[in-house]
Amino acid sequence: DVQMTQSPSTLSASVGDRVTITCRASQIINNNLAWCQQKPGKAPKVLIYKASNLESGVPSRFSGSGSGTEFTLTISSLQPDDFATYYCQQYNAYPVTFGQGTRLDIK
Amino acid sequence: EVQLVESGGGLVHPGGSLRLSCAASGFTLSDHYVDWVRQAAGKGLEWVGRSRNKANSYTTEYAASVKGRFTISRDDSKNSLYLQMNSLKTEDTAVYYCSRVLVGPYYMDVWGKGTTVIVSS
C-alpha cells in the first residue's frame, strides 16, 4: 500500500498567516494526489486534485504543488473559515490511501 | 443540484449485517465511479471500496480490511448504490460516506453527508 505521511499533525496559526502542509508518499504517485478539507461533523470537501488543480468554487488562496513523492498545500492568507482538518489522498494505486490529517487551529 | 445522500446506518451486533444506500440526484450515477470512505470517531479517513461505472461493468475494488465481508452493488433504476456489510466487527464502527469519482481525473469530487454505523453488543 502507498503510505501517505502528512506534516505537521497540528498547526496553530492566525488569520492572515501563510501556511503550508506537506504530504509525502511512500512511492511515486504520478501527481494523482488530492487535498480535502473537513470541518467537525461535516463531510470532506475537495480543494485540489492532480496535485495542483484548484477545484471549481474553491478560493484562490488555496494552492497545491509538488511532484514525485513530495507535495504541499499552501493557504496564502488564512481566513476564519479555513480552520479545519486537512487530508491528502493518493488515488494512483489501490487501495486509495489518505494521510493522517493536519488539524489547523487558531493561535 | 448534484448530491449524494447516504442512508441505512444504525446499531448492529457484532457478526450482524447492514446495507447502506447511496442515492444520487442531479446526475446519472451509472456514468461515474463511486467510492465508500469511512471515518471512526476522532480518527482519519479510510477508503473502503470502489464501484467502477457501467462502461467498466461495475467492477469493484475493496480495502483488505473489508474484502470478503463487504459488497458494493448498484440499482440504475433508482440511481443508487449500496454497500452490503456482513460479519460486522466492532472496528467497523464509523461514519460511512459515499463519494463520486470523476472518470478521467479519478478524484472524489462530490461527497455525501454520511451515515453512522455502530457495531456493538
Side-chain angles (χ1 to χ4, degrees):
Chain A
D1 297 3
V2 180
Q3 296 230 354
M4 305 300 291
T5 304
Q6 281 182 240
S7 59
S9 295
T10 307
L11 179 57
S12 294
S14 302
V15 172
D17 284 354
R18 178 184 180 89
V19 299
T20 298
I21 299 169
T22 297
C23 183
R24 177 180 289 115
S26 61
Q27 61 192 67
I28 292 173
I29 57 171
N30 300 308
N31 287 10
N32 288 316
L33 180 113
W35 290 96
C36 61
Q37 175 195 67
Q38 188 179 33
K39 296 181 180 178
K42 301 294 186 183
K45 171 190 169 185
V46 66
L47 303 173
I48 301 286
Y49 65 95
K50 201 63 174 179
S52 60
N53 292 271
L54 192 67
E55 176 71 352
S56 176
V58 173
S60 59
R61 63 180 180 273
F62 291 93
S63 64
S65 64
S67 63
T69 61
E70 294 272 343
F71 301 89
T72 59
L73 173 70
T74 299
I75 309 172
S76 60
S77 178
L78 272 175
Q79 299 302 301
D81 191 49
D82 300 339
F83 293 96
T85 300
Y86 293 84
Y87 293 93
C88 63
Q89 173 220 336
Q90 71 79 22
Y91 49 93
N92 189 63
Y94 294 109
V96 171
T97 48
F98 293 86
Q100 80 278 15
T102 295
R103 192 178 81 226
L104 179 52
D105 292 335
I106 300 174
K107 185 185 287 184
Chain B
E1 181 191 3
V2 170
Q3 198 173 8
L4 291 168
V5 178
E6 303 93 338
S7 60
L11 174 64
V12 60
H13 293 309
S17 298
L18 207 58
R19 189 179 83 153
L20 306 184
S21 299
C22 172
S25 58
F27 70 101
T28 302
L29 197 61
S30 60
D31 291 340
H32 296 275
Y33 291 22
V34 178
D35 282 1
W36 285 96
V37 175
R38 68 185 180 184
Q39 185 172 38
K43 302 297 185 182
L45 300 167
E46 180 189 14
W47 180 80
V48 172
R50 170 170 291 178
S51 169
R52 295 182 181 87
N53 58 6
K54 188 173 186 177
N56 286 281
S57 304
Y58 295 142
T59 53
T60 53
E61 303 285 345
Y62 297 96
S65 58
V66 307
K67 195 168 187 178
R69 300 188 298 123
F70 290 11
T71 303
I72 301 172
S73 63
R74 297 202 189 214
D75 185 339
D76 291 350
S77 69
K78 296 182 178 178
N79 210 30
S80 294
L81 172 139
Y82 306 98
L83 180 67
Q84 177 67 43
M85 304 185 296
N86 298 332
S87 304
L88 282 161
K89 306 175 181 181
T90 55
E91 53 262 41
D92 295 319
T93 295
V95 176
Y96 284 73
Y97 299 100
C98 63
S99 61
R100 185 178 78 170
V101 178
L102 282 183
V103 176
Y106 295 109
Y107 71 100
M108 304 176 204
D109 74 322
V110 177
W111 293 67
K113 293 183 178 181
T115 187
T116 300
V117 173
I118 300 173
V119 184
S120 175
S121 54

